[in-house]
Amino acid sequence: MKEEMRQKFIEILGNNRVLFDEPMSQHTTFRIGGPADVFAMPENYEQIREVLRLCREEKLPFFVLGNGSNLLVSDSGYRGVIIQMDRNMEEIRVEGEEIHACAGALLSSVAVAARNASLTGFEFAGGIPGTIGGAAVMNAGAYGGELKDVLKEVTVMTRKGEILTIPAEKMEMGYRTSIIKTAGYLVLEAVISLKKGDEEAIRATMKDLSERRTEKQPLDYPSAGSTFKRPEGYFAGKLIMDSGLRGYRAGGAQVSEKHCGFVINAGGATAEDVRTLMEHVIEVVREKYGVTLEPEVKFLGDFNGR
């Protein structure tokens, strides 16, 4: 990237809130990914708006990053601008039976805030390794709960810098999708509507779910969580296991032996390792069961035209 363009980002964000040629392996739960041209860390709405304006004017592609928990970045990195909404915008406010959470707030932190305020309904999200922003985009869910069940409204910024507040009933939330995803909005804040409950009961539920995750999921290895979407009428992990792929490896990527729905970085995995492994899994499961698995993980960057 030309020095002139670098200076424009520095003018908007300051020296301490923008990085260049930043390794994305430092910002994804897979611990995989080459360098991003620009890694922007805005701290307020105006800086976000100005970064979007610059991207629009200079025709620079951009990607909004939360916790990097559902993402595979290519080994060659990303020729564009990463806008991180994680550590810079994580305020959580409890107001009565509502929780107002900025886009960068971790779901685990929101769950703890709800528990401490004796508010029930958000226990399911306590172990999901993502942010409120990412959860709103993908309608995150686990253990029978989904964000749409407790969402009141989301405040977003359009690609032109306009701020909108969208009520939950107009969010078009489905399985791992929402209007935010289809329209390309940036999440700024979400309001979660919960109910009064018993703190000890909430604590017990969260403890139980945490123990179940620890028992069943390969949390001791880098991964992007569930690798494939749940096919209608099936479970991806069981199809993969029944196809004889438990422990299957491609380079440093491996189908988890603990939970076949997870592809893990077993050590030194590249993005191409993960992509190759996923393609093999999809092919084997399709041949054996006639079911085509779809990736839940988002791919960012160049994957050799595949």
Side-chain angles (χ1 to χ4, degrees):
M1 176 167 284
K2 294 181 180 178
E3 184 60 30
E4 178 187 356
M5 185 63 65
R6 291 185 178 219
Q7 287 302 316
K8 289 183 179 181
F9 280 101
I10 291 172
E11 286 172 14
I12 293 171
L13 297 162
N15 278 305
N16 63 334
R17 291 204 168 270
V18 61
L19 302 169
F20 302 101
D21 301 317
E22 175 68 3
M24 289 302 293
S25 57
Q26 303 296 312
H27 303 282
T28 66
T29 58
F30 246 143
R31 297 290 176 257
I32 293 172
D37 287 349
V38 181
F39 192 88
M41 299 169 280
E43 61 179 340
N44 55 52
Y45 293 179
E46 189 54 37
Q47 286 185 349
I48 298 172
R49 187 178 281 115
E50 284 299 300
V51 169
L52 290 178
R53 177 191 59 75
L54 183 57
C55 290
R56 193 166 61 248
E57 290 177 355
E58 301 293 340
K59 296 182 171 54
L60 298 172
F62 67 87
F63 179 81
V64 181
L65 180 74
N67 195 41
S69 57
N70 196 37
L71 185 66
L72 180 67
V73 181
S74 76
D75 299 314
S76 60
Y78 182 61
R79 304 286 72 79
V81 181
I82 299 291
I83 304 174
Q84 189 191 52
M85 302 282 281
D86 183 1
R87 300 170 185 83
N88 321 311
M89 298 182 183
E90 53 188 7
E91 181 187 355
I92 300 169
R93 304 188 315 277
V94 179
E95 299 181 6
E97 295 184 0
E98 293 180 353
I99 294 184
H100 296 244
C102 290
L106 291 172
L107 294 171
S108 55
S109 299
V110 177
V112 168
R115 182 198 70 198
N116 292 345
S118 299
L119 296 176
T120 186
F122 206 71
E123 294 89 332
F124 73 90
I128 300 175
T131 60
I132 279 287
V137 174
M138 297 297 292
N139 183 29
Y143 293 102
E146 292 179 299
L147 188 65
K148 71 180 181 63
D149 300 334
V150 294
L151 189 65
K152 180 181 180 183
E153 63 187 29
V154 179
T155 300
V156 302
M157 186 179 289
T158 70
R159 290 177 173 241
K160 292 185 177 181
E162 303 164 309
I163 293 179
L164 309 173
T165 297
I166 308 173
E169 59 269 22
K170 294 187 178 180
M171 282 282 292
E172 299 176 13
M173 299 186 94
Y175 179 63
R176 302 300 179 260
T177 190
S178 72
I179 194 173
I180 299 170
K181 181 181 179 182
T182 55
Y185 296 146
L186 286 77
V187 178
L188 301 175
E189 182 178 306
V191 180
I192 309 298
S193 181
L194 303 174
K195 295 179 180 179
K196 276 293 181 184
D198 177 72
E199 183 179 346
E200 287 307 311
I202 295 167
R203 187 182 299 274
T205 298
M206 290 176 64
K207 182 173 182 289
D208 174 58
L209 293 181
S210 176
E211 289 173 351
R212 287 162 65 182
R213 283 189 178 92
T214 302
E215 178 188 349
K216 295 181 179 180
Q217 298 181 7
L219 303 181
D220 45 348
Y221 287 94
S223 79
S226 296
T227 308
F228 299 99
K229 295 179 181 178
R230 185 181 65 242
E232 188 172 349
Y234 299 91
F235 291 101
K238 188 172 190 314
L239 287 171
I240 296 167
M241 180 178 67
D242 291 348
S243 296
L245 293 168
R246 181 194 294 275
Y248 178 83
R249 290 185 69 130
Q254 182 179 21
V255 174
S256 169
E257 295 183 357
K258 194 172 187 179
H259 189 314
C260 292
F262 286 65
V263 172
I264 61 172
N265 179 351
T270 64
E272 198 56 36
D273 289 342
V274 175
R275 182 65 175 253
T276 299
L277 186 149
M278 289 178 64
E279 289 176 344
H280 179 74
V281 167
I282 290 170
E283 181 181 353
V284 171
V285 170
R286 184 193 297 123
E287 287 179 357
K288 193 169 181 66
Y289 293 102
V291 177
T292 301
L293 296 176
E294 293 182 39
E296 185 165 319
V297 174
K298 181 175 179 61
F299 297 91
L300 184 66
D302 180 22
F303 283 83
N304 299 324
R306 292 197 286 156

